[in-house]
Amino acid sequence: MKTFDELFAELSERARTRPEGSATAAALAAGVHAQGKKVLEEAGEVWIAAEHESDERLAEEVSQLLYRVQVLMLGRGLTLEDVYKHL
Ligand SMILES: N=c1c2ncn([C@@H]3O[C@H](COP(=O)(O)OP(=O)(O)OP(=O)(O)O)[C@@H](O)[C@H]3O)c2ncn1[C@@H]1O[C@H](COP(=O)(O)O)[C@@H](O)[C@H]1O
């Protein structure tokens, strides 16, 4: 189990080192357009799960959306602080 901040730290490290076989390194290499499409896709899956699926499936889809949002943030070079200052 990991927190939002812990995942972001892990993905930041992947962005820095770009290890072979990393899903994050591949998603970052695909560019912001592809990263944005993934955010939209996962957001749609969250919506569908919220209306029609179990709590467990919804939680899984939300986790994937959080992951995709973090990848997009890294793709654009945003930090957690850049976002948190607006909360
Ligand atoms: N939380 C995630 C995570 N959520 C989703 N995904 C990726 O999203 C894919 C599933 O997304 P989709 O449903 O859109 O399916 P898809 O794109 O058709 O799937 P593929 O055909 O690409 O497998 C998974 O196969 C992963 O590639 C994730 N990839 C990585 N993480 C975490 O990120 C960290 C770093 O991972 P690596 O970069 O792989 O080292 C680790 O803690 C991982 O657990």
Side-chain angles (χ1 to χ4, degrees):
M1 188 120 70
K2 66 191 77 157
T3 67
F4 190 84
D5 285 36
E6 287 165 352
L7 179 63
F8 195 79
E10 188 180 358
L11 301 192
S12 299
E13 185 62 11
R14 295 292 192 282
R16 196 178 65 77
T17 58
R18 307 284 174 127
E20 208 170 309
S22 160
T24 309
L28 289 169
V32 165
H33 183 80
Q35 293 153 16
K37 281 173 71 177
K38 279 294 187 185
V39 169
L40 202 56
E41 183 185 312
E42 291 304 338
E45 289 176 10
V46 166
W47 179 12
I48 290 166
E51 287 204 357
H52 302 293
E53 297 177 15
S54 67
D55 288 354
E56 183 59 28
R57 282 290 303 140
L58 175 57
E60 193 180 325
E61 294 298 354
V62 169
S63 80
Q64 294 205 356
L65 179 58
L66 296 182
Y67 170 77
R68 293 298 175 184
V69 165
Q70 291 200 355
V71 169
L72 181 68
M73 287 171 62
L74 287 163
R76 279 292 307 270
L78 288 188
T79 65
L80 288 177
E81 291 68 32
D82 292 329
V83 172
Y84 288 174
K85 72 183 181 195
H86 295 287
L87 295 178

